[in-house]
Amino acid sequence: MSASGNEMRRHRPPRRFARIRRPRGTFRALGALAVVLLVWAFVWEPSRLLERDYALVLPRWPAQCDGLRVDVVADLHTGSPFNGLDNLDRVVDRLVASDADLVLLAGDYVILSVMLGEYIPAERIAPRFARLAARKPVYAVLGNHDWWKDGGRVRRALEAAGVQVLENASTEVVVRDCRFGIAGIGDKWEGDPQPRRAFAALPEDLPTLALTHNPELFPDIPARAALTVAGHTHGGQLGIPWPGDPPLPTRVGGHYLAGHLVERGGHLFVSPGIGTSILPFRFGMPPEISRLRLRSEAVALEPASARATTAASRTAAHPPRTRP
């Protein structure tokens, strides 16, 4: 090639990159994936109901109460999509069949508003708990949605069904050889929370469970509480899908989200809840009945031989667990 030809090649404008053509199948696959994810988040997952077991080892829980079983339900939001009275009956069926010693309800039984949902009054919701309250003790607090729709009305409906509502109040409970207290604290946003008042009537040395709706109240709970139980967050209604049970993050952006959290020696459990609010979706955070087994740290950490002796000395065993 001549020198002039080489000179022309050096000064020739660069060729544009050839356009990358994506096969049509790629766009179809992405569209199908989007449809699957939408159905998962807005239809399939909100209609699920899991029962998940947790064993919580608590330093301020006595040996005679080791193994106490507590079912926790939060944020029923009856009336949200795929979560009508028929689903409430399904939840109550599971709670009735459970081998738990008692049930804690962490607020928000009604729904203020949610896309594609409908408001169902407390007078239609609460009677569904009557058959549960006839089988085992049921304790409750109110949530912000309950107060927005007339908290007094919601409370009266629950109490008429046999549910004991603890708003800045407490009660003593005896289960076999286990004696403990439950202190219910009003909602942080709407319930005039008074933790000290709730604990005031309980002896200082009585092991106590604190029940409230909003977990942001956790730093204000008296240090003598063995465990604080809350709801409100719905687990963010969003988690990371994972084979088997999805992981439950505990704290995101300074907020208590879901699961078991230990902070400054205090123990908190936040239920992911049942219903939805604002947007009717759940993704990687399915509706859940949280089944807590409360372990005494003194018993859990003792040698295996001593645990076997302790277990053999107990005369009252739980009935076989059932899950319909």
Side-chain angles (χ1 to χ4, degrees), residues 19-302:
R19 178 177 295 178
I20 299 176
R21 294 186 178 181
R22 299 180 183 274
R24 293 181 180 178
T26 301
F27 294 106
R28 290 174 181 170
L30 291 174
L33 178 61
V35 170
V36 169
L37 293 178
L38 287 172
V39 171
W40 179 327
F42 286 88
V43 178
W44 182 69
E45 189 154 310
S47 64
R48 298 177 68 194
L49 180 60
L50 300 187
E51 294 177 69
R52 184 174 284 118
D53 293 316
Y54 300 85
L56 309 185
V57 179
L58 308 174
R60 286 183 287 277
W61 195 241
Q64 64 268 27
C65 294
D66 182 63
L68 184 84
R69 294 184 180 272
V70 179
D71 282 347
V72 176
V73 171
D75 304 286
L76 283 158
H77 286 306
T78 304
S80 54
F82 304 100
N83 188 34
L85 291 172
D86 55 341
N87 191 61
L88 176 58
D89 288 337
R90 180 169 64 147
V91 172
V92 173
D93 285 343
R94 299 283 185 92
L95 295 173
V96 169
S98 166
D99 62 359
D101 296 294
L102 67 149
V103 177
L104 298 181
L105 304 178
D108 275 1
Y109 312 98
V110 300
I111 183 74
L112 177 66
S113 64
V114 63
M115 185 184 300
L116 304 178
E118 63 170 338
Y119 168 67
I120 298 177
E123 290 81 5
R124 296 180 61 197
I125 295 171
R128 259 61 183 194
F129 291 110
R131 58 194 176 93
L132 174 63
R135 293 285 299 273
K136 62 188 73 175
V138 183
Y139 303 96
V141 292
L142 303 182
N144 52 296
H145 282 252
D146 303 317
W147 285 111
W148 289 337
K149 302 301 290 187
D150 190 343
R153 177 181 177 182
V154 176
R155 177 173 186 164
R156 288 189 295 273
L158 289 170
E159 290 178 337
V163 176
Q164 186 169 348
V165 180
L166 300 172
E167 285 287 301
N168 297 318
S170 61
T171 187
E172 292 190 27
V173 182
V174 178
V175 177
R176 298 186 302 278
D177 295 331
C178 174
R179 179 172 170 266
F180 61 99
I182 299 177
I185 298 103
D187 176 58
K188 181 178 175 65
W189 288 359
E190 304 293 339
D192 184 27
Q194 300 181 45
R196 294 188 181 278
R197 176 184 169 187
F199 276 77
L202 298 173
E204 285 285 339
D205 60 348
L206 184 69
T208 300
L209 304 177
L211 175 63
T212 192
H213 177 62
N214 192 327
E216 293 301 315
L217 200 63
F218 179 49
D220 300 325
I221 301 298
R224 67 186 178 106
L227 174 70
T228 299
V229 174
H232 180 66
T233 65
H234 309 179
Q237 295 183 194
L238 179 66
I240 302 174
W242 200 263
D245 293 341
L248 296 177
T250 54
R251 195 170 184 180
V252 175
H255 296 282
Y256 308 105
L257 191 59
H260 182 207
L261 178 86
V262 181
E263 186 174 272
R264 297 190 301 274
H267 287 248
L268 169 70
F269 181 83
V270 183
S271 169
I274 300 293
T276 57
S277 65
I278 305 177
L279 293 177
F281 82 95
R282 280 181 176 267
F283 190 83
M285 195 63 64
E288 173 183 310
I289 297 173
S290 305
R291 308 191 73 241
L292 311 186
R293 182 170 178 243
L294 307 187
R295 299 296 318 277
S296 167
E297 185 177 79
V299 175
L301 298 181
E302 70 183 3

Side-chain angles (χ1 to χ4, degrees), residues 66 293 299 302 304-317:
D66 182 63
R293 182 170 178 243
V299 175
E302 70 183 3
S305 58
R307 287 201 302 271
T309 302
T310 302
S313 67
R314 291 177 183 157
T315 57

